[in-house]
Amino acid sequence: MVWLGLGVAVLAAPDPKAKAAPPTLKVIADRAEAIYRQGETVTFQISLLPADALPEDAEVQWTITKDGVPPQQSGKLKLPGGRGSITGKLDEPGFLLCKVTCQTPAKAALTALGGAAVDPLLIKPSLPVPDDFDAFWAQQRQKLAAVPMNARLAPVKSPAAEIACFDLQADCVGAPVSGYFAKPAGAKPKSLPAILTVHGAGVRSSSLGAAATWAREQMLALDINAHGLPNGQPEKFYTDLANGELKDYRTRGRESRDTIYFQGMFIRLMRAMDFLCSQPEWDGRTLVVHGSSQGGAQSIVAAGLDARVTFIAAGVPAMCDHTGIVAGRVNGWPKFIASGSDNAKPDPKVVEAVRYYDAMNFGTRAKAEAILTVGFIDTTCPPTSVYAAYNAYAGKKTIFNDPPSTHTVSPKAGEAMRNAIRAHVLARRENTAP
């Protein structure tokens, strides 16, 4: 902008080479909170920007499903002035998922999702907890107890002078616990709360940054990778494993509770918590577990396995309500059983086995306080499955509803979890009662 003596602003001419913003399609429920009662009409509002991105007579395709599974409504809709709406309803507790698609004259494919909750606090577990659930996991604890921890701490370069950082390797059943451990330098015995951070799906090193960040907040902090792998290796090391030995680990061994891959992962959780609680600086009172997606599942599982856990923060948790299909609902990640009418008769062996690895069932045993987050248009860890687990969770709890979010922890959801952890730790520090 150039200012002339007469005070008139002369604006630079638009750059003819500048590209116009691509068109966008958006779907939102007509209530900001996107929560309804059974049988109520849900109106999904559709908007297109710019409004003339489609010819006036063009139509968009839409479908409304029960969180991705039948029943399904579908149709076509014109968007005069770039706006339109469609309605749906659900006569049972659950979620509606609205998907809208179209193609612009320039052959650009546009897709948008909108979600709405229908009496979500009334969503029940699809199946009860197995009768011998506790006995099965007590057996795994016994197996672990027979293996000495043999924790090895190798100092690693710290991102902050006031933080001491280590590579941790601890023996376990099968693969070791492998993580980065961080603590404030010079911490006094029995002075610090502890936090364990756990990973989402995939194959990667533990995060030194995650551990150091919480250690800066005066906590003993341990971040472990999900598979017991060596830390700090070249990226190719993890990529090769993801494409080879650990490819499709998510559904490996699903025919039997004794062979499901996640057994080792959950046992490593127990060992990691044992390590933290064995540290002389631990205050003996406060133990937090935090993760998202697969890490959110591990957080709930940890609370169900260990009564020392006092708080969990589980973002968009996976592994919830694996057997939703038996109640005509969507299943949680990793979709041990395919959802939908194409798999109306799932393998009974799989149905039985996966119940022992359902975060929802672990939550029924939890005493820790909890915060969960849920995205209303999350098609990876569908909100129906998250709410099934939330409703079954036995401890004091709260949930952060995130209507516009897919399978992600939005900035607001992440802030809510971090603030909840800090508030819990502060309250425990200020109240020294057991």
Side-chain angles (χ1 to χ4, degrees), residues 17 30 38 90 96 106 140 192 216 221 246 264 340 351 357 365 381 386 392 430:
K17 296 181 180 180
D30 63 336
Q38 296 169 69
L90 191 59
L96 289 176
Q140 312 318 310
L192 298 176
R216 284 193 183 99
L246 291 175
V351 172
Y357 295 85
R365 272 56 178 163
C381 299
V386 174
E430 292 180 345

Coordinates of all heavy atoms in Angstrom, one line a residue, residues 17 30 38 90 96 106 140 192 216 221 246 264 340 351 357 365 381 386 392 430:
K17 N -1.4 -13.7 -11.9 CA -0.9 -15.1 -11.8 C -1.3 -15.8 -10.5 O -1.1 -17.0 -10.3 CB 0.6 -15.1 -11.9 CG 1.1 -14.5 -13.2 CD 2.7 -14.6 -13.2 CE 3.2 -14.1 -14.6 NZ 4.7 -14.1 -14.6
D30 N -27.5 -28.4 12.4 CA -28.1 -27.0 12.7 C -28.0 -26.6 14.1 O -28.4 -25.5 14.5 CB -29.5 -27.0 12.2 CG -30.4 -28.0 12.9 OD1 -29.9 -29.0 13.4 OD2 -31.7 -27.8 12.9
Q38 N -33.6 -38.9 20.5 CA -34.1 -39.9 19.6 C -35.4 -39.5 19.0 O -36.3 -39.0 19.6 CB -34.3 -41.2 20.4 CG -33.1 -41.8 21.0 CD -33.4 -43.0 22.0 OE1 -33.8 -44.0 21.6 NE2 -33.1 -42.7 23.3
L90 N -32.7 -40.5 13.9 CA -32.3 -41.8 14.4 C -33.2 -42.1 15.6 O -33.4 -41.3 16.5 CB -30.9 -41.8 14.8 CG -30.2 -43.1 15.2 CD1 -30.2 -44.0 14.0 CD2 -28.7 -42.9 15.6
L96 N -25.5 -39.9 13.6 CA -25.8 -39.8 12.2 C -24.5 -39.3 11.5 O -23.9 -38.3 12.1 CB -27.0 -38.9 11.9 CG -28.3 -39.5 12.3 CD1 -29.4 -38.4 12.0 CD2 -28.7 -40.7 11.5
A106 N -14.1 -28.3 -13.2 CA -12.7 -28.5 -13.4 C -12.3 -29.9 -13.0 O -11.1 -30.2 -12.9 CB -11.9 -27.5 -12.7
Q140 N -1.9 -62.8 32.9 CA -0.8 -62.1 32.1 C 0.1 -61.4 33.1 O 1.3 -61.3 32.9 CB -1.4 -61.1 31.1 CG -2.5 -61.7 30.2 CD -2.2 -63.1 29.7 OE1 -1.1 -63.4 29.2 NE2 -3.2 -64.0 29.9
L192 N 7.6 -36.2 43.2 CA 7.1 -36.0 41.9 C 6.0 -36.9 41.5 O 6.0 -38.1 41.7 CB 8.2 -36.0 40.8 CG 9.4 -35.1 41.0 CD1 10.4 -35.4 39.9 CD2 8.9 -33.6 40.9
R216 N 9.5 -31.0 32.3 CA 9.6 -29.6 32.5 C 8.5 -29.1 33.5 O 8.7 -28.0 34.1 CB 9.6 -28.8 31.2 CG 10.8 -28.8 30.4 CD 10.8 -27.8 29.3 NE 11.9 -27.8 28.4 CZ 11.9 -28.4 27.2 NH1 10.8 -29.0 26.8 NH2 13.0 -28.4 26.5
A221 N 8.5 -38.5 33.7 CA 7.8 -38.7 32.5 C 8.5 -39.8 31.7 O 9.7 -39.8 31.5 CB 7.8 -37.4 31.7
L246 N 5.9 -55.9 10.9 CA 4.8 -55.3 11.7 C 3.7 -54.9 10.8 O 2.7 -54.2 11.2 CB 5.3 -54.1 12.5 CG 6.2 -54.5 13.7 CD1 6.7 -53.3 14.4 CD2 5.4 -55.5 14.6
G264 N 0.9 -58.3 24.0 CA 2.2 -57.9 24.3 C 2.3 -56.4 24.6 O 2.9 -55.9 25.5
G340 N -21.0 -53.6 8.8 CA -21.9 -53.5 7.7 C -22.5 -54.9 7.4 O -22.2 -55.9 7.9
V351 N -15.2 -62.9 17.4 CA -16.1 -62.2 18.3 C -15.7 -62.4 19.8 O -15.7 -61.5 20.6 CB -17.6 -62.5 18.1 CG1 -18.5 -61.9 19.1 CG2 -18.0 -62.1 16.7
Y357 N -9.8 -57.6 24.6 CA -8.9 -56.5 24.2 C -9.7 -55.3 23.9 O -9.2 -54.4 23.2 CB -8.1 -57.0 23.0 CG -7.1 -58.1 23.3 CD1 -7.6 -59.4 23.3 CD2 -5.8 -57.8 23.8 CE1 -6.8 -60.5 23.6 CE2 -5.0 -58.9 24.1 CZ -5.5 -60.2 24.1 OH -4.6 -61.2 24.4
R365 N -13.4 -51.5 34.8 CA -12.6 -51.8 36.0 C -11.9 -50.6 36.5 O -11.2 -50.7 37.5 CB -11.6 -52.9 35.6 CG -12.1 -54.3 35.8 CD -13.4 -54.7 35.0 NE -13.7 -56.1 35.2 CZ -14.9 -56.6 35.0 NH1 -15.8 -55.8 34.5 NH2 -15.1 -57.9 35.2
C381 N -12.0 -44.1 14.4 CA -12.5 -44.4 15.7 C -13.9 -43.8 15.9 O -14.0 -42.7 16.5 CB -11.5 -43.9 16.8 SG -9.9 -44.7 16.6
V386 N -16.7 -44.7 20.7 CA -16.1 -43.9 21.8 C -17.1 -43.7 22.9 O -16.7 -43.9 24.1 CB -15.5 -42.6 21.3 CG1 -15.0 -41.7 22.4 CG2 -14.4 -42.8 20.3
A392 N -19.4 -46.7 29.6 CA -19.1 -47.9 30.5 C -18.0 -47.6 31.5 O -17.8 -48.4 32.4 CB -18.7 -49.1 29.6
E430 N -1.9 -30.3 46.0 CA -2.4 -29.4 47.1 C -3.1 -30.2 48.2 O -3.2 -29.7 49.3 CB -3.3 -28.4 46.5 CG -2.6 -27.4 45.6 CD -3.5 -26.3 45.0 OE1 -4.7 -26.5 45.0 OE2 -3.0 -25.3 44.5

